[in-house]
Amino acid sequence: MDDLTTDRLLELGDVPILDDDALLERATTLIQQGFVRRMWLLLLDHERRQLPLLPQIEGAPVSPDAETVATLTALLTGVAEIAAHVAIVLERPGQARATPDDLAWTDVIVRAAARTPRVQLLGVLVAHGRGVDALW
């Protein structure tokens, strides 16, 4: 993984993420591939420029549980204080093919985002052992 300094994030932030291809390219540039289980938040302003923050959530369970939608809704409500758009990258080791757990996480993320109208979900991606792919 490249050295993700604030200067590097500021440099990337100069280029807006205007479509799904640009989002996939940015996630691939930042994360490259999955090594551990965690969630990355790509935060963007109203012009879809990435903010120089790259929050990571460590220790997410393999599968979302019954409280995950509420937890993610609260998280996205907080994100709405600083960002207009968000993309979420699920990082995990393993196969490139989307797993049932990946799809379950995508479902709860989309449902949580629907409850948080002040921030727009741009996409859900998975960083796996071979690269990064879009899930939603």
Side-chain angles (χ1 to χ4, degrees), residues 23 27 31 38-43 57 72 75-76 79 86-91 105-106 109-110 112-113 121-127 133 135-136:
L23 177 59
I31 302 163
R38 74 179 131 203
M39 200 178 303
W40 298 73
L41 304 176
L42 280 64
L43 307 176
I57 301 168
L72 287 174
L75 174 71
L76 292 174
V79 164
V86 63
I88 297 179
V89 181
L90 306 169
E91 180 185 355
W105 272 106
T106 301
I109 291 166
V110 169
L121 179 65
L122 294 182
V124 180
L125 302 99
V126 61
D133 290 308
L135 293 169
W136 178 89

Side-chain angles (χ1 to χ4, degrees), residues 1-51:
M1 184 177 328
D2 288 336
D3 186 20
L4 293 177
T5 64
T6 301
D7 288 342
R8 178 69 174 134
L9 289 172
L10 286 168
E11 176 185 312
L12 290 170
D14 287 340
V15 180
I17 298 172
L18 300 176
D19 58 30
D20 293 342
D21 290 338
L23 177 59
L24 180 59
E25 182 179 328
R26 180 66 54 87
T28 301
T29 297
L30 292 170
I31 302 163
Q32 298 177 1
Q33 69 183 61
F35 294 102
V36 298
R37 186 165 300 282
R38 74 179 131 203
M39 200 178 303
W40 298 73
L41 304 176
L42 280 64
L43 307 176
L44 292 81
D45 66 14
H46 289 284
E47 296 173 357
R48 293 189 174 199
R49 292 177 303 180
Q50 186 177 352
L51 301 175

